[in-house]
Amino acid sequence: ATEEASNIAITPAVLQRTGAAGQERITVTAGALNRGSQPADTTLSLEIDGRVIESRPLKLDAHGAASASFTPFTPAAKFTRGSVRLGDDRLARDNVFHFVVSPAVRVKVVVVDRPGASRAASLYLAQALELSQAPAFDVVLRQMGSVTPEDLSSAGVIVLNDVPVSETLGRQLAAFAEAGGGLFAALGERAAWPSAVAAAVPALPGGTADRTRGTPGRIGSVEYGHPVFESFRAPRSGDFSTARFYTYRQVTADPAAQVLARYDDGAPALLERRVGNGRVMVWTSTLDVGWNDLALKPVFLPFIHRVGATLASFQQRPPYMTV
């Protein structure tokens, strides 16, 4: 050591995912910290799978920090190893930062509409799902009666958008959930579920609650400890009570079901039940603007994203961990 020691240390990298021309691109931004009392110059290099693909010069003030972004790259392998490395100095162990990235996992979502339903019936839902990035969803629209065995075997999530379900399809969907799939049922005016397969859903649909006269219904409470709503726990992160509900289905909840959200009169709005290795959720109103205006509120987009991610059992793989 000397009386005037100098050292430049790497700082953690930030990875930003974007999409371009059907490919996923990752932009790496990293920086360095000058721990000495004199200005310093160094080189910041990005290595992918052990090969340097780009270098950037970096100027650092005394006791200062600076950062640089590299040209976006496309991860080719399932586990693509990367490193950001500084030029050599007397303390080498803080000159490199390692990370691992993987191509985004896309989840297939099959949205089932009733025959003859207009495209607007699933417009808000489909557009919300297509905008999600973590995970990315591939949305397939099907009419009741055209759901194929390939849909059931390849889908991560199936959405029943106000459709009457036959006993045959109900048993198929129950097997889909037991095998680890996610099932989401929106109960509009025409929705029905066979009582013979009642054990596969958290609630069976009943009559309708009419709130068109007087004060519309509101979401009165949500379970913030559940993965669907935990991102809304912080102040100013989204207010479900601003949405107005004019009609919703009354349901008979199974004792094993968990009520995740209720209206202001105490009636269930969102219910969940674990079925085998999968999850089944029931939403007691529509996903368009027919019975409510939730689709027009800012919370609708992140709400649908969280529902899809939860039902798909999606977990973002961390690019690095601090040891």
Side-chain angles (χ1 to χ4, degrees), residues 3-30:
E3 293 183 2
E4 188 59 42
S6 63
N7 178 51
I8 300 176
I10 196 81
T11 59
V14 176
L15 310 180
Q16 181 179 9
R17 295 176 182 261
T18 57
Q23 286 188 324
E24 183 185 42
R25 308 282 282 169
I26 296 181
T27 301
V28 179
T29 300

PDB file of all heavy atoms in Angstrom, residues 3-30:
ATOM      1  N   GLU A   3       0.641   5.725   0.607  1.00  0.00           N
ATOM      2  CA  GLU A   3      -0.193   6.710   1.307  1.00  0.00           C
ATOM      3  C   GLU A   3      -1.350   7.171   0.436  1.00  0.00           C
ATOM      4  O   GLU A   3      -2.416   7.505   0.925  1.00  0.00           O
ATOM      5  CB  GLU A   3       0.676   7.909   1.716  1.00  0.00           C
ATOM      6  CG  GLU A   3       1.714   7.578   2.779  1.00  0.00           C
ATOM      7  CD  GLU A   3       2.502   8.794   3.195  1.00  0.00           C
ATOM      8  OE1 GLU A   3       2.211   9.880   2.677  1.00  0.00           O
ATOM      9  OE2 GLU A   3       3.387   8.646   4.059  1.00  0.00           O
ATOM     10  N   GLU A   4      -1.141   7.192  -0.876  1.00  0.00           N
ATOM     11  CA  GLU A   4      -2.202   7.625  -1.796  1.00  0.00           C
ATOM     12  C   GLU A   4      -2.626   6.422  -2.651  1.00  0.00           C
ATOM     13  O   GLU A   4      -2.189   6.251  -3.781  1.00  0.00           O
ATOM     14  CB  GLU A   4      -1.694   8.765  -2.686  1.00  0.00           C
ATOM     15  CG  GLU A   4      -2.772   9.420  -3.532  1.00  0.00           C
ATOM     16  CD  GLU A   4      -3.892  10.011  -2.710  1.00  0.00           C
ATOM     17  OE1 GLU A   4      -3.604  10.628  -1.668  1.00  0.00           O
ATOM     18  OE2 GLU A   4      -5.061   9.841  -3.091  1.00  0.00           O
ATOM     19  N   ALA A   5      -3.449   5.555  -2.070  1.00  0.00           N
ATOM     20  CA  ALA A   5      -3.902   4.367  -2.791  1.00  0.00           C
ATOM     21  C   ALA A   5      -4.923   4.747  -3.849  1.00  0.00           C
ATOM     22  O   ALA A   5      -5.698   5.692  -3.682  1.00  0.00           O
ATOM     23  CB  ALA A   5      -4.509   3.373  -1.810  1.00  0.00           C
ATOM     24  N   SER A   6      -4.965   3.999  -4.954  1.00  0.00           N
ATOM     25  CA  SER A   6      -5.943   4.237  -6.015  1.00  0.00           C
ATOM     26  C   SER A   6      -6.567   2.912  -6.409  1.00  0.00           C
ATOM     27  O   SER A   6      -5.916   1.873  -6.404  1.00  0.00           O
ATOM     28  CB  SER A   6      -5.281   4.891  -7.227  1.00  0.00           C
ATOM     29  OG  SER A   6      -4.302   4.037  -7.781  1.00  0.00           O
ATOM     30  N   ASN A   7      -7.845   2.969  -6.751  1.00  0.00           N
ATOM     31  CA  ASN A   7      -8.540   1.745  -7.163  1.00  0.00           C
ATOM     32  C   ASN A   7      -9.797   2.134  -7.927  1.00  0.00           C
ATOM     33  O   ASN A   7     -10.498   3.087  -7.560  1.00  0.00           O
ATOM     34  CB  ASN A   7      -8.911   0.886  -5.957  1.00  0.00           C
ATOM     35  CG  ASN A   7      -9.668  -0.371  -6.383  1.00  0.00           C
ATOM     36  OD1 ASN A   7      -9.206  -1.087  -7.251  1.00  0.00           O
ATOM     37  ND2 ASN A   7     -10.818  -0.603  -5.778  1.00  0.00           N
ATOM     38  N   ILE A   8     -10.101   1.395  -8.986  1.00  0.00           N
ATOM     39  CA  ILE A   8     -11.342   1.560  -9.752  1.00  0.00           C
ATOM     40  C   ILE A   8     -12.121   0.259  -9.623  1.00  0.00           C
ATOM     41  O   ILE A   8     -11.582  -0.826  -9.886  1.00  0.00           O
ATOM     42  CB  ILE A   8     -11.060   1.882 -11.226  1.00  0.00           C
ATOM     43  CG1 ILE A   8     -10.265   3.184 -11.336  1.00  0.00           C
ATOM     44  CG2 ILE A   8     -12.361   1.991 -12.004  1.00  0.00           C
ATOM     45  CD1 ILE A   8      -9.860   3.532 -12.752  1.00  0.00           C
ATOM     46  N   ALA A   9     -13.360   0.372  -9.207  1.00  0.00           N
ATOM     47  CA  ALA A   9     -14.191  -0.816  -8.969  1.00  0.00           C
ATOM     48  C   ALA A   9     -15.397  -0.813  -9.899  1.00  0.00           C
ATOM     49  O   ALA A   9     -15.978   0.243 -10.180  1.00  0.00           O
ATOM     50  CB  ALA A   9     -14.652  -0.860  -7.511  1.00  0.00           C
ATOM     51  N   ILE A  10     -15.773  -2.004 -10.375  1.00  0.00           N
ATOM     52  CA  ILE A  10     -16.954  -2.156 -11.220  1.00  0.00           C
ATOM     53  C   ILE A  10     -18.204  -1.993 -10.376  1.00  0.00           C
ATOM     54  O   ILE A  10     -18.214  -2.270  -9.167  1.00  0.00           O
ATOM     55  CB  ILE A  10     -16.939  -3.536 -11.915  1.00  0.00           C
ATOM     56  CG1 ILE A  10     -17.927  -3.594 -13.093  1.00  0.00           C
ATOM     57  CG2 ILE A  10     -17.244  -4.637 -10.919  1.00  0.00           C
ATOM     58  CD1 ILE A  10     -17.391  -2.974 -14.333  1.00  0.00           C
ATOM     59  N   THR A  11     -19.295  -1.529 -10.980  1.00  0.00           N
ATOM     60  CA  THR A  11     -20.590  -1.442 -10.299  1.00  0.00           C
ATOM     61  C   THR A  11     -21.551  -2.431 -10.946  1.00  0.00           C
ATOM     62  O   THR A  11     -21.327  -2.870 -12.087  1.00  0.00           O
ATOM     63  CB  THR A  11     -21.163  -0.020 -10.381  1.00  0.00           C
ATOM     64  OG1 THR A  11     -21.308   0.350 -11.755  1.00  0.00           O
ATOM     65  CG2 THR A  11     -20.242   0.976  -9.685  1.00  0.00           C
ATOM     66  N   PRO A  12     -22.633  -2.825 -10.257  1.00  0.00           N
ATOM     67  CA  PRO A  12     -23.563  -3.805 -10.831  1.00  0.00           C
ATOM     68  C   PRO A  12     -24.140  -3.347 -12.163  1.00  0.00           C
ATOM     69  O   PRO A  12     -24.409  -2.162 -12.377  1.00  0.00           O
ATOM     70  CB  PRO A  12     -24.653  -3.925  -9.763  1.00  0.00           C
ATOM     71  CG  PRO A  12     -23.963  -3.559  -8.496  1.00  0.00           C
ATOM     72  CD  PRO A  12     -22.973  -2.502  -8.869  1.00  0.00           C
ATOM     73  N   ALA A  13     -24.323  -4.297 -13.063  1.00  0.00           N
ATOM     74  CA  ALA A  13     -24.868  -4.000 -14.387  1.00  0.00           C
ATOM     75  C   ALA A  13     -26.395  -3.995 -14.347  1.00  0.00           C
ATOM     76  O   ALA A  13     -27.019  -4.683 -13.537  1.00  0.00           O
ATOM     77  CB  ALA A  13     -24.377  -5.032 -15.396  1.00  0.00           C
ATOM     78  N   VAL A  14     -26.981  -3.206 -15.228  1.00  0.00           N
ATOM     79  CA  VAL A  14     -28.431  -3.155 -15.408  1.00  0.00           C
ATOM     80  C   VAL A  14     -28.744  -3.721 -16.781  1.00  0.00           C
ATOM     81  O   VAL A  14     -28.155  -3.303 -17.785  1.00  0.00           O
ATOM     82  CB  VAL A  14     -28.959  -1.714 -15.286  1.00  0.00           C
ATOM     83  CG1 VAL A  14     -30.461  -1.666 -15.580  1.00  0.00           C
ATOM     84  CG2 VAL A  14     -28.661  -1.158 -13.902  1.00  0.00           C
ATOM     85  N   LEU A  15     -29.667  -4.689 -16.842  1.00  0.00           N
ATOM     86  CA  LEU A  15     -30.037  -5.337 -18.099  1.00  0.00           C
ATOM     87  C   LEU A  15     -31.450  -4.928 -18.479  1.00  0.00           C
ATOM     88  O   LEU A  15     -32.387  -5.130 -17.714  1.00  0.00           O
ATOM     89  CB  LEU A  15     -29.950  -6.860 -17.969  1.00  0.00           C
ATOM     90  CG  LEU A  15     -28.645  -7.420 -17.372  1.00  0.00           C
ATOM     91  CD1 LEU A  15     -28.714  -8.936 -17.298  1.00  0.00           C
ATOM     92  CD2 LEU A  15     -27.451  -6.981 -18.184  1.00  0.00           C
ATOM     93  N   GLN A  16     -31.609  -4.347 -19.661  1.00  0.00           N
ATOM     94  CA  GLN A  16     -32.923  -3.900 -20.128  1.00  0.00           C
ATOM     95  C   GLN A  16     -33.294  -4.683 -21.379  1.00  0.00           C
ATOM     96  O   GLN A  16     -32.551  -4.715 -22.360  1.00  0.00           O
ATOM     97  CB  GLN A  16     -32.917  -2.403 -20.438  1.00  0.00           C
ATOM     98  CG  GLN A  16     -34.268  -1.875 -20.895  1.00  0.00           C
ATOM     99  CD  GLN A  16     -34.245  -0.392 -21.178  1.00  0.00           C
ATOM    100  OE1 GLN A  16     -33.184   0.226 -21.187  1.00  0.00           O
ATOM    101  NE2 GLN A  16     -35.405   0.188 -21.416  1.00  0.00           N
ATOM    102  N   ARG A  17     -34.470  -5.319 -21.335  1.00  0.00           N
ATOM    103  CA  ARG A  17     -34.943  -6.123 -22.464  1.00  0.00           C
ATOM    104  C   ARG A  17     -35.867  -5.293 -23.347  1.00  0.00           C
ATOM    105  O   ARG A  17     -36.758  -4.597 -22.861  1.00  0.00           O
ATOM    106  CB  ARG A  17     -35.690  -7.364 -21.972  1.00  0.00           C
ATOM    107  CG  ARG A  17     -34.816  -8.349 -21.199  1.00  0.00           C
ATOM    108  CD  ARG A  17     -35.636  -9.500 -20.657  1.00  0.00           C
ATOM    109  NE  ARG A  17     -34.837 -10.424 -19.883  1.00  0.00           N
ATOM    110  CZ  ARG A  17     -34.339 -11.567 -20.336  1.00  0.00           C
ATOM    111  NH1 ARG A  17     -34.582 -11.924 -21.590  1.00  0.00           N
ATOM    112  NH2 ARG A  17     -33.613 -12.358 -19.566  1.00  0.00           N
ATOM    113  N   THR A  18     -35.667  -5.380 -24.655  1.00  0.00           N
ATOM    114  CA  THR A  18     -36.544  -4.737 -25.627  1.00  0.00           C
ATOM    115  C   THR A  18     -36.781  -5.706 -26.774  1.00  0.00           C
ATOM    116  O   THR A  18     -36.049  -6.689 -26.941  1.00  0.00           O
ATOM    117  CB  THR A  18     -35.928  -3.431 -26.166  1.00  0.00           C
ATOM    118  OG1 THR A  18     -34.639  -3.723 -26.736  1.00  0.00           O
ATOM    119  CG2 THR A  18     -35.774  -2.389 -25.072  1.00  0.00           C
ATOM    120  N   GLY A  19     -37.802  -5.423 -27.574  1.00  0.00           N
ATOM    121  CA  GLY A  19     -38.095  -6.247 -28.735  1.00  0.00           C
ATOM    122  C   GLY A  19     -37.920  -5.457 -30.014  1.00  0.00           C
ATOM    123  O   GLY A  19     -38.316  -4.296 -30.094  1.00  0.00           O
ATOM    124  N   ALA A  20     -37.308  -6.072 -31.032  1.00  0.00           N
ATOM    125  CA  ALA A  20     -37.102  -5.420 -32.319  1.00  0.00           C
ATOM    126  C   ALA A  20     -37.112  -6.476 -33.406  1.00  0.00           C
ATOM    127  O   ALA A  20     -36.367  -7.465 -33.326  1.00  0.00           O
ATOM    128  CB  ALA A  20     -35.784  -4.649 -32.337  1.00  0.00           C
ATOM    129  N   ALA A  21     -37.960  -6.265 -34.427  1.00  0.00           N
ATOM    130  CA  ALA A  21     -38.039  -7.172 -35.581  1.00  0.00           C
ATOM    131  C   ALA A  21     -38.266  -8.617 -35.156  1.00  0.00           C
ATOM    132  O   ALA A  21     -37.694  -9.548 -35.716  1.00  0.00           O
ATOM    133  CB  ALA A  21     -36.786  -7.057 -36.438  1.00  0.00           C
ATOM    134  N   GLY A  22     -39.102  -8.804 -34.128  1.00  0.00           N
ATOM    135  CA  GLY A  22     -39.412 -10.143 -33.669  1.00  0.00           C
ATOM    136  C   GLY A  22     -38.343 -10.790 -32.828  1.00  0.00           C
ATOM    137  O   GLY A  22     -38.473 -11.963 -32.472  1.00  0.00           O
ATOM    138  N   GLN A  23     -37.259 -10.075 -32.525  1.00  0.00           N
ATOM    139  CA  GLN A  23     -36.190 -10.618 -31.701  1.00  0.00           C
ATOM    140  C   GLN A  23     -36.084  -9.836 -30.406  1.00  0.00           C
ATOM    141  O   GLN A  23     -36.342  -8.636 -30.366  1.00  0.00           O
ATOM    142  CB  GLN A  23     -34.849 -10.546 -32.436  1.00  0.00           C
ATOM    143  CG  GLN A  23     -34.684 -11.559 -33.558  1.00  0.00           C
ATOM    144  CD  GLN A  23     -33.265 -11.549 -34.094  1.00  0.00           C
ATOM    145  OE1 GLN A  23     -32.624 -10.523 -34.172  1.00  0.00           O
ATOM    146  NE2 GLN A  23     -32.768 -12.733 -34.470  1.00  0.00           N
ATOM    147  N   GLU A  24     -35.691 -10.551 -29.369  1.00  0.00           N
ATOM    148  CA  GLU A  24     -35.467  -9.902 -28.088  1.00  0.00           C
ATOM    149  C   GLU A  24     -34.035  -9.389 -28.024  1.00  0.00           C
ATOM    150  O   GLU A  24     -33.098 -10.104 -28.373  1.00  0.00           O
ATOM    151  CB  GLU A  24     -35.724 -10.877 -26.948  1.00  0.00           C
ATOM    152  CG  GLU A  24     -35.563 -10.231 -25.586  1.00  0.00           C
ATOM    153  CD  GLU A  24     -35.699 -11.220 -24.460  1.00  0.00           C
ATOM    154  OE1 GLU A  24     -35.150 -12.331 -24.598  1.00  0.00           O
ATOM    155  OE2 GLU A  24     -36.327 -10.891 -23.468  1.00  0.00           O
ATOM    156  N   ARG A  25     -33.878  -8.140 -27.609  1.00  0.00           N
ATOM    157  CA  ARG A  25     -32.566  -7.526 -27.496  1.00  0.00           C
ATOM    158  C   ARG A  25     -32.340  -7.122 -26.043  1.00  0.00           C
ATOM    159  O   ARG A  25     -33.266  -6.694 -25.351  1.00  0.00           O
ATOM    160  CB  ARG A  25     -32.465  -6.291 -28.392  1.00  0.00           C
ATOM    161  CG  ARG A  25     -32.875  -6.543 -29.830  1.00  0.00           C
ATOM    162  CD  ARG A  25     -31.791  -7.232 -30.609  1.00  0.00           C
ATOM    163  NE  ARG A  25     -30.738  -6.284 -31.006  1.00  0.00           N
ATOM    164  CZ  ARG A  25     -29.572  -6.648 -31.513  1.00  0.00           C
ATOM    165  NH1 ARG A  25     -29.293  -7.927 -31.658  1.00  0.00           N
ATOM    166  NH2 ARG A  25     -28.680  -5.743 -31.861  1.00  0.00           N
ATOM    167  N   ILE A  26     -31.105  -7.243 -25.583  1.00  0.00           N
ATOM    168  CA  ILE A  26     -30.744  -6.899 -24.210  1.00  0.00           C
ATOM    169  C   ILE A  26     -29.660  -5.835 -24.243  1.00  0.00           C
ATOM    170  O   ILE A  26     -28.615  -6.013 -24.875  1.00  0.00           O
ATOM    171  CB  ILE A  26     -30.274  -8.134 -23.429  1.00  0.00           C
ATOM    172  CG1 ILE A  26     -31.414  -9.144 -23.295  1.00  0.00           C
ATOM    173  CG2 ILE A  26     -29.742  -7.734 -22.051  1.00  0.00           C
ATOM    174  CD1 ILE A  26     -31.064 -10.387 -22.529  1.00  0.00           C
ATOM    175  N   THR A  27     -29.936  -4.724 -23.569  1.00  0.00           N
ATOM    176  CA  THR A  27     -28.972  -3.633 -23.453  1.00  0.00           C
ATOM    177  C   THR A  27     -28.344  -3.689 -22.064  1.00  0.00           C
ATOM    178  O   THR A  27     -29.054  -3.670 -21.059  1.00  0.00           O
ATOM    179  CB  THR A  27     -29.651  -2.266 -23.655  1.00  0.00           C
ATOM    180  OG1 THR A  27     -30.265  -2.237 -24.940  1.00  0.00           O
ATOM    181  CG2 THR A  27     -28.638  -1.136 -23.552  1.00  0.00           C
ATOM    182  N   VAL A  28     -27.027  -3.777 -22.032  1.00  0.00           N
ATOM    183  CA  VAL A  28     -26.284  -3.838 -20.775  1.00  0.00           C
ATOM    184  C   VAL A  28     -25.717  -2.458 -20.476  1.00  0.00           C
ATOM    185  O   VAL A  28     -25.018  -1.872 -21.302  1.00  0.00           O
ATOM    186  CB  VAL A  28     -25.146  -4.874 -20.849  1.00  0.00           C
ATOM    187  CG1 VAL A  28     -24.362  -4.903 -19.537  1.00  0.00           C
ATOM    188  CG2 VAL A  28     -25.701  -6.259 -21.165  1.00  0.00           C
ATOM    189  N   THR A  29     -26.032  -1.939 -19.307  1.00  0.00           N
ATOM    190  CA  THR A  29     -25.471  -0.679 -18.833  1.00  0.00           C
ATOM    191  C   THR A  29     -24.693  -0.966 -17.559  1.00  0.00           C
ATOM    192  O   THR A  29     -25.221  -1.567 -16.622  1.00  0.00           O
ATOM    193  CB  THR A  29     -26.563   0.357 -18.551  1.00  0.00           C
ATOM    194  OG1 THR A  29     -27.299   0.603 -19.758  1.00  0.00           O
ATOM    195  CG2 THR A  29     -25.969   1.674 -18.064  1.00  0.00           C
ATOM    196  N   ALA A  30     -23.429  -0.563 -17.546  1.00  0.00           N
ATOM    197  CA  ALA A  30     -22.575  -0.814 -16.377  1.00  0.00           C
ATOM    198  C   ALA A  30     -21.719   0.412 -16.138  1.00  0.00           C
ATOM    199  O   ALA A  30     -21.632   1.317 -16.964  1.00  0.00           O
ATOM    200  CB  ALA A  30     -21.713  -2.053 -16.576  1.00  0.00           C
TER     201      ALA A  30
END
